[in-house]
Amino acid sequence: MITVEGLTKKYGSTIAVDSLSFTVKPGRVTGFLGPNGSGKSTTMRCMIGLDRVHSGIALFDGKPYQELKKPLHEVGTLLDAGNAHSGRTARNHLRWLAMSNGVSSKRVDEVLELVGLMDVAKKRVGQFSLGMKQRLGLAAVLLGDPKVVILDEPANGLDPEGIRWIREMLKHLASQGRSVLVSSHLLSEMALMADDLIVIGKGRLITECTVPDFVNQYAKKWVVVKSPQLTSLVSLAQEQGMHVSMGSNLAEFHGAEAAMIGELAAKNNVVLHELSTQTGSLEDAFLEVTADAVQYHGHAETQSKGVAS
Amino acid sequence: MIALIRSEWLKLRTVRSNITMACFAVILPLAITLLTTVFIDVYSVDDATVSVVLLGSGSLSVLLFGIIGALAITQEYSQGTIRLTLAANPHRIRAYVAKGIVLAILSGGLAAFIILVGNTAGVAILDSRGAVGKLSNGDMGQAYLALIAIGILVSLLGMAIGTLTRNPPSAVTVLVLWPLLFEALIGGLLSVAFSESIFKWLPFQTGLNALRLEDYELDFGRWGSVGYFGLWILTVSMFALVRFKRRDA
């Protein structure tokens, strides 16, 4: 279990992480979300003592990271797949790490096999693709068979097979009772992988809840209706102040419950072929909740072209 | 601590540039010594010939030990492995000390190897060429020991400078220019204002003077000079250690 209490990190006058508190429960995959520059990576670095904190603490099963005697047995971290000497072989990279925490060479071979890098164990890391480096990073995480796993963007650079593999791997690790904290920008992946979410923006906690609760709370909902008398139903709904958008053979009713639409149709003898509630995705919910916390906004090229023409 | 030292040793020996640098540090003084003993006029040889050549060329190795020390830590920053090092061992002082011990053993060991092979082979070559008289003298042993000590100290200095700069080119530049340029420049300028005696307070000048065969003309004596140089390195190392402990990795 990870407990973060009041973590604050400042760079000069800039507050990168602002009194951040959350918990990561054992047996669950917890997604760590936030826009670029929101402080996710900084938080992870502070949690394991790589960056000095201004105030606050991160506890791993009640102990600060600095008090762990052999940290690789307690906490496995992958903060950047590029953190490996390009001139060293994959096996030697894992061997020095293993040696520092009393992990056997046999375990090094086990994790290389587990991540599928045994065939390239004697190759230099500099010759690896980003995906292979991610796998090597994950091998390093698993070296000490830790109870807590912290990963920063582990799916970066992985092909679809690799993404699926890491998803299954993390779910498997959580199913063994480990606490798994993972940040990712691949929200579709997060929706498939995470049980809980911690969402931050501008270094502050925005929300901490389960994935279904997050989507229910923040994603937009609307009712889709198909009917041979669609025009009359839309007119009736608009008379009652509902916002409706019409398609070719269906209409979307925003800000209304399916039951209300159903009752309205029944009262006015309108035949319905479909009446269903639609909910936005995790991505929709994320964009909605972090709209005010995004530091860097992009603009579609078509917008500027339109202005120019 | 033993596990950490073994881990640091593995780290050091599994990077090709470190091995290359160590090979240069060994081959350079041996080649100079052996070539000198092969080609020197055998009638100009005296009891100090081998040791003077070996100690002179050994001071080049000392500088290379410093570069190995600097690279050992700066590579960790440039390659990002410092984060793994400190995640695997959050006690930063222990991590620093373990690396320092490995560097000290490596540079001390290499210096001893250079002395052993260089002196034995040099004397054997001169002997085979028919050199007459003694080929060793009484001060030789102490000077050789000083070479080992200076080698260890400069490798630790390289590590300290590397810790402060965190950047391989900067660390190597500072380390090389310190004895070759800065001290000569500072000494030259200050000697105008003060006197020639200012040179004895310059750390590298004094430290490398300890490698002279005769120590009677040294201001602090051989081991006093090593001690004075060591004090400077201790100061720089303490400063580096404080920064290493406090800075974000």
Side-chain angles (χ1 to χ4, degrees), chain B residues 132-163:
Chain B
V132 287
K134 278 177 72 184
L135 293 173
S136 60
N137 72 44
D139 293 321
M140 210 169 78
Q142 291 289 309
Y144 284 159
L145 283 177
L147 179 67
I148 294 174
I150 296 292
I152 291 171
L153 289 174
V154 175
S155 72
L156 296 179
L157 177 67
M159 183 182 158
I161 292 171
T163 306

Side-chain angles (χ1 to χ4, degrees), chain A residues 244-265:
Chain A
V244 187
S245 52
M246 278 278 281
S248 55
N249 63 343
L250 57 80
E252 291 177 356
F253 294 73
H254 298 273
E257 298 288 325
M260 278 170 66
I261 310 293
E263 282 167 19
L264 185 68

Side-chain angles (χ1 to χ4, degrees), chain A:
Chain A
M1 170 125 148
I2 309 173
T3 313
V4 172
E5 290 170 5
L7 205 71
T8 300
K9 170 71 181 173
K10 293 178 183 176
Y11 295 107
S13 59
T14 307
I15 302 174
V17 181
D18 192 359
S19 303
L20 189 60
S21 300
F22 59 82
T23 55
V24 179
K25 298 181 194 85
R28 297 179 75 80
V29 176
T30 302
F32 195 29
L33 301 182
N36 285 343
S38 59
K40 300 186 297 295
S41 300
T42 306
T43 302
M44 287 177 161
R45 287 199 305 273
C46 288
M47 285 166 69
I48 60 166
L50 293 180
D51 284 9
R52 301 282 139 182
V53 296
H54 183 75
S55 61
I57 195 166
L59 301 170
F60 298 88
D61 287 335
K63 279 187 191 168
Y65 194 84
Q66 285 80 352
E67 282 182 20
L68 302 176
K69 287 199 174 131
K70 290 182 176 175
L72 298 189
H73 294 278
E74 308 286 332
V75 184
T77 50
L78 169 57
L79 299 186
D80 185 344
N83 289 344
H85 197 293
S86 54
R88 209 173 265 134
T89 65
R91 191 162 189 277
N92 280 335
H93 171 71
L94 294 177
R95 277 180 67 213
W96 75 257
L97 257 179
M99 226 174 241
S100 69
N101 273 239
V103 178
S104 69
S105 291
K106 194 178 151 215
R107 178 66 183 160
V108 169
D109 291 337
E110 278 174 16
V111 293
L112 279 168
E113 191 71 56
L114 197 64
V115 300
L117 292 179
M118 199 55 184
D119 292 343
V120 290
K122 289 181 180 170
K123 249 187 166 183
R124 292 182 195 283
V125 178
Q127 298 170 346
F128 279 18
S129 66
L130 180 56
M132 289 162 85
K133 284 182 187 168
Q134 290 283 19
R135 285 174 185 263
L136 183 63
L138 198 68
V141 167
L142 299 173
L143 263 182
D145 199 14
K147 292 177 221 157
V148 173
V149 171
I150 298 175
L151 309 163
D152 195 4
E153 303 281 356
N156 260 4
L158 291 179
D159 55 17
E161 189 274 330
I163 292 174
R164 174 182 277 192
W165 169 77
I166 208 155
R167 182 204 312 150
E168 297 302 326
M169 172 69 81
L170 295 185
K171 285 168 89 166
H172 175 67
L173 291 174
S175 74
Q176 293 176 322
R178 299 172 215 259
S179 310
V180 179
L181 177 68
V182 53
S183 80
S184 177
H185 281 114
L186 300 175
L187 293 172
S188 53
E189 263 316 301
M190 201 59 100
L192 292 170
M193 182 173 25
D195 303 301
D196 299 324
L197 286 180
I198 293 158
V199 184
I200 65 169
K202 292 181 179 169
R204 289 189 211 106
L205 183 72
I206 294 176
T207 188
E208 182 182 5
C209 56
T210 64
V211 175
D213 284 351
F214 181 71
V215 175
N216 280 335
Q217 194 178 344
Y218 295 104
K220 287 197 174 98
K221 287 184 193 141
W222 65 95
V223 179
V224 171
V225 174
K226 278 185 185 172
S227 166
Q229 298 150 276
L230 203 56
T231 320
S232 47
L233 183 62
V234 168
S235 304
L236 288 165
Q238 283 173 336
E239 278 169 25
Q240 297 205 359
M242 292 181 202
H243 174 66
V244 187
S245 52
M246 278 278 281
S248 55
N249 63 343
L250 57 80
E252 291 177 356
F253 294 73
H254 298 273
E257 298 288 325
M260 278 170 66
I261 310 293
E263 282 167 19
L264 185 68
K267 215 160 90 181
N268 295 281
N269 294 321
V270 172
V271 175
L272 296 183
H273 288 176
E274 183 184 330
L275 177 67
S276 62
T277 303
Q278 303 287 315
T279 309
S281 63
L282 175 63
E283 183 179 79
D284 296 326
F286 174 76
L287 292 174
E288 174 73 25
V289 82
T290 59
D292 295 335
V294 175
Q295 284 185 313
Y296 311 105
H297 294 275
H299 297 285
E301 198 179 7
T302 47
Q303 283 178 328
S304 53
K305 277 184 180 167
V307 171
S309 62

Side-chain angles (χ1 to χ4, degrees), chain B:
Chain B
M1 195 61 170
I2 297 294
L4 261 181
I5 290 170
R6 288 180 63 213
S7 166
E8 285 297 334
W9 170 239
L10 182 67
K11 244 194 264 183
L12 199 69
R13 73 178 173 81
T14 51
V15 173
R16 202 180 278 169
S17 57
N18 294 338
I19 304 286
T20 310
M21 202 62 74
C23 287
F24 266 125
V26 172
I27 291 168
L28 202 66
L30 289 183
I32 293 172
T33 307
L34 298 186
L35 286 172
T36 307
T37 50
V38 166
F39 292 109
I40 196 169
D41 175 10
V42 82
Y43 298 106
S44 67
V45 167
D46 62 20
D47 64 344
T49 303
V50 174
S51 44
V52 164
V53 175
L54 198 54
L55 289 165
S57 54
S59 53
L60 292 173
S61 300
V62 161
L63 213 53
L64 290 173
F65 294 154
I67 293 174
I68 294 174
L71 292 179
I73 188 83
T74 52
Q75 278 173 349
E76 292 236 30
Y77 283 102
S78 62
Q79 301 276 341
T81 51
I82 191 71
R83 288 185 175 165
L84 294 181
T85 299
L86 296 180
N89 176 42
H91 306 280
R92 295 190 180 195
I93 293 176
R94 280 170 49 123
Y96 189 96
V97 169
K99 200 181 275 294
I101 289 173
V102 168
L103 283 169
I105 292 171
L106 177 76
S107 45
L110 290 181
F113 177 79
I114 291 165
I115 291 162
L116 193 71
V117 174
N119 192 68
T120 310
V123 169
I125 291 168
L126 287 179
D127 208 25
S128 70
R129 291 184 62 213
V132 287
K134 278 177 72 184
L135 293 173
S136 60
N137 72 44
D139 293 321
M140 210 169 78
Q142 291 289 309
Y144 284 159
L145 283 177
L147 179 67
I148 294 174
I150 296 292
I152 291 171
L153 289 174
V154 175
S155 72
L156 296 179
L157 177 67
M159 183 182 158
I161 292 171
T163 306
L164 291 169
T165 63
R166 296 175 159 205
N167 175 275
S170 311
V172 172
T173 306
V174 171
L175 189 70
V176 172
L177 291 187
W178 182 343
L180 300 182
L181 184 70
F182 297 154
E183 285 202 6
L185 209 63
I186 290 168
L189 289 171
L190 291 181
S191 63
V192 176
F194 300 96
S195 70
E196 289 288 321
S197 66
I198 196 72
F199 282 101
K200 74 176 179 188
W201 299 108
L202 299 174
F204 257 102
Q205 293 263 343
T206 302
L208 292 176
N209 274 345
L211 303 181
R212 287 185 185 188
L213 207 52
E214 303 87 8
D215 69 343
Y216 55 83
E217 55 189 30
L218 298 179
D219 290 298
F220 302 123
R222 189 184 311 282
W223 294 105
S225 301
V226 172
Y228 177 72
F229 187 46
L231 268 179
W232 269 85
I233 284 152
L234 183 69
T235 309
V236 179
S237 296
M238 291 309 287
F239 185 55
L241 194 53
V242 169
R243 297 288 291 158
F244 183 64
K245 202 168 177 308
R246 286 190 187 157
R247 278 159 102 179
D248 292 343

